Amino acid sequence: MSPDHPQRRSNHTRPSQTTFWVRRIVALLVLAILISLVVLIVRFAWSWMQAADDSQQRAKVQQNKEQLVTQPVACKMTNIAYKLEPEKAENQVGTGVNFKVALRNTKGNQPCTMNGAIDKVGVKVVTGEDTVWESWKCQEKVDPQPLLLGTGMEYNTTITWDGKNVSKCKAGDIAQAGTYQAIPVLNGKEITEGKEVFTLK
């Protein structure tokens, strides 16, 4: 047997039990750290994907809300308040009467459209049981006048009566002094609760 054989045997001695457990613990710690890193990466990726999805959902909801708010629909006449007011409570015979008209969209959360032409938005003037004038009748060809009314938005215009009696679309004599009523008319329907009183002197 050669002299150096015992030396080689000593170089291949097995590690001690303590060294074995230390190495095992270190390996487990490294594995635990790697698993934790993987879990953190997965959680971060999931959170990022969830945040992106939530952001897309919020953007979609906001877009739908904006479309709901901004896309106009046809006005429901029950949602339109028609205010009629003579410019003067007392007027001179033969001088004519101006009526201030206001249309307001009172309900809903969407703007709406309607035709505000003179054959749709009118005034009826009566005295006693007699009809003196109906502004929307006997009109020549009238072009539509599209109106866009947002919620609470008001459209204002003026309708003028020349102060003459009109029968069968023919102007007659000048209306006489007395008390008259002006009745709002929308699409041919009278709004009697909005009538106003004025006089001719």
Side-chain angles (χ1 to χ4, degrees):
M1 182 178 293
S2 61
D4 59 344
H5 185 71
Q7 182 66 34
R8 288 198 301 270
R9 178 178 295 176
S10 62
N11 288 340
H12 291 281
T13 57
R14 296 180 62 183
S16 66
Q17 193 73 10
T18 302
T19 302
F20 173 79
W21 282 108
V22 168
R23 290 178 180 177
R24 191 168 184 177
I25 291 170
V26 170
L28 290 173
L29 288 174
V30 170
L31 180 61
I33 291 172
L34 290 175
I35 292 174
S36 298
L37 287 174
V38 171
V39 170
L40 288 174
I41 292 171
V42 171
R43 285 183 176 179
F44 175 80
W46 174 258
S47 298
W48 182 84
M49 292 173 63
Q50 190 66 34
D53 185 63
D54 290 345
S55 178
Q56 291 178 353
Q57 291 294 331
R58 287 194 297 270
K60 187 175 180 179
V61 170
Q62 182 64 28
Q63 183 180 7
N64 290 338
K65 286 182 178 179
E66 290 176 355
Q67 289 179 348
L68 180 65
V69 171
T70 58
Q71 292 298 320
V73 296
C75 292
K76 295 181 179 180
M77 293 301 101
T78 54
N79 293 353
I80 300 299
Y82 184 165
K83 182 179 179 181
L84 173 66
E85 183 180 2
E87 196 170 75
K88 297 178 182 179
E90 295 182 356
N91 302 268
Q92 295 296 317
V93 171
T95 60
V97 181
N98 291 325
F99 300 100
K100 293 187 292 184
V101 170
L103 301 174
R104 178 185 288 269
N105 179 8
T106 60
K107 297 180 181 179
N109 60 354
Q110 290 179 279
C112 68
T113 59
M114 63 176 291
N115 186 357
I118 57 176
D119 61 337
K120 303 298 182 183
V121 179
V123 180
K124 180 178 180 179
V125 176
V126 300
T127 179
E129 299 296 326
D130 298 327
T131 298
V132 177
W133 180 62
E134 294 172 306
S135 68
W136 71 99
K137 290 187 175 181
C138 306
Q139 299 288 342
E140 296 180 359
K141 185 177 179 181
V142 178
D143 293 329
Q145 184 178 347
L147 301 180
L148 176 61
L149 299 175
T151 303
M153 184 176 176
E154 198 170 82
Y155 166 75
N156 297 279
T157 188
T158 300
I159 298 176
T160 301
W161 172 43
D162 64 5
K164 294 181 179 180
N165 294 301
V166 177
S167 177
K168 296 181 180 179
C169 297
K170 293 182 179 180
D173 298 332
I174 294 174
Q176 299 301 303
T179 300
Y180 293 78
Q181 288 185 344
I183 304 173
V185 176
L186 191 57
N187 291 335
K189 181 180 178 180
E190 296 181 17
I191 307 173
T192 55
E193 62 270 18
K195 62 185 177 183
E196 292 286 338
V197 176
F198 67 98
T199 60
L200 295 179
K201 292 186 176 181

